[in-house]
Amino acid sequence: MEEVFRQEKKYLISMEEFYRAGGQFGALLHEDPHNGAHGYRIRSLYFDTLSDRDFHEKEDGVELRRKLRLRLYDPRGDFAMLEMKQKQGMYQKKRSLRLAREDAQRVARGDYTPLAESTDPFAQECYAVLQCHTYRPKTVVEYRRKAFIAKENRIRITLDHQIAASESHLDPFDPALVLNPVLDPWLAVLEVKYNGFLLSYIREIINNCNRSELSVSKYCLARSASMHYYF
């Protein structure tokens, strides 16, 4: 089990700022080794209670809240990451557990038995939360990401675009999964994740972007888009 505890800021930026800031970060920071020329794909299956408690708590700005997801980097890959993010005031705590493909597929179908059978305490905690609060798979979200790293204060900058989702088909391992855009294609999301304080030159690049702070998560973007479509 891996644990990360840090501050997170999110901003909505134009694609022009996306390319400009990406070039500046690329010149000054270490690139994520998975970036390649065009970044890398992330696909996540989000879970929520029958009453959509996590969605509503995020929308209402509840200070202490959590989010559960199964994250994939390749639908044909042999593993997925089960992640729990917990908001605690200004900070986010993220814990992650690597699951073999077969176990992850069972969890994605709402069968949480592999977590109960695990000897890992975090897996057992996730099982208790998922079962006791009747969590169910709700939304698959996919996007393309470019990430940059500064070792000081464990700073991580991510630039996400092409954000799309599905609530009609919830198999994140389906390579032909049909997804619908949930964000204007001319917009992107800049995320800043750090411990302690931001280095001045990183802050300057962010401040030079024509941006607005974003309080909504990609999960909420996806759910809000579907609710707007149906209602």
Side-chain angles (χ1 to χ4, degrees), residues 8-208:
E8 293 187 7
K9 297 285 186 181
K10 298 181 183 180
Y11 303 98
L12 198 61
I13 62 174
S14 68
M15 286 304 296
E16 179 183 356
E17 297 290 354
F18 172 94
Y19 289 112
R20 181 182 302 155
Q24 292 172 322
F25 288 132
L28 295 170
L29 304 178
H30 299 284
E31 288 207 25
D32 187 297
H34 301 98
N35 272 355
H38 305 291
Y40 57 95
R41 288 280 181 186
I42 294 177
R43 182 181 289 181
S44 296
L45 172 65
Y46 287 88
F47 301 83
D48 209 336
T49 68
L50 294 177
S51 61
D52 295 328
R53 184 186 66 184
D54 293 356
F55 169 77
H56 292 299
E57 287 188 349
K58 172 63 175 175
E59 291 285 279
D60 294 339
V62 174
E63 280 298 305
L64 300 176
R65 59 181 185 268
R66 67 171 160 246
K67 182 166 52 184
L68 280 155
R69 67 191 179 201
L70 193 65
R71 172 156 288 188
L72 291 73
Y73 299 95
D74 178 1
R76 297 181 178 88
D78 59 1
F79 76 96
M81 302 299 294
L82 180 64
E83 299 182 343
M84 181 188 292
K85 292 188 73 174
Q86 293 169 281
K87 173 74 171 176
Q88 300 177 359
M90 295 175 56
Y91 292 88
Q92 294 266 7
K93 180 168 75 170
K94 184 179 80 171
R95 290 178 288 167
S96 307
L97 177 70
R98 183 179 173 123
L99 296 178
R101 180 184 178 91
E102 183 179 343
D103 289 341
Q105 287 178 309
R106 291 175 64 184
V107 171
R109 293 192 296 267
D111 174 9
Y112 308 133
T113 308
L115 304 177
E117 294 173 344
S118 172
T119 58
D120 187 285
F122 176 59
Q124 294 173 358
E125 179 186 342
C126 288
Y127 175 79
V129 170
L130 289 162
Q131 285 288 76
C132 292
H133 297 282
T134 61
Y135 275 80
R136 296 293 180 266
K138 290 294 179 90
T139 304
V140 176
V141 178
E142 183 180 280
Y143 49 92
R144 185 173 290 279
R145 164 169 287 180
K146 270 208 159 187
F148 306 91
I149 302 157
K151 295 180 180 179
E152 301 85 351
N153 292 340
R154 302 182 67 184
I155 297 170
R156 183 173 174 84
I157 310 290
T158 58
L159 293 159
D160 301 332
H161 69 302
Q162 298 180 4
I163 303 171
S166 172
E167 290 191 358
S168 59
H169 184 37
L170 298 176
D171 179 7
F173 293 93
D174 182 354
L177 185 65
V178 176
L179 299 133
N180 299 303
V182 298
L183 185 68
D184 186 319
W186 298 106
L187 296 175
V189 176
L190 164 64
E191 295 189 22
V192 188
K193 307 168 186 181
Y194 62 99
N195 289 335
F197 60 91
L198 273 177
L199 299 174
S200 59
Y201 65 89
I202 295 176
R203 189 184 301 110
E204 183 176 349
I205 295 173
I206 296 167
N207 289 341
N208 285 336

Side-chain angles (χ1 to χ4, degrees), residues 206-220:
I206 296 167
N207 289 341
N208 285 336
C209 289
N210 182 15
R211 74 203 190 283
S212 57
E213 191 158 356
L214 187 67
S215 60
V216 124
S217 68
K218 297 182 187 71
Y219 169 60
C220 289

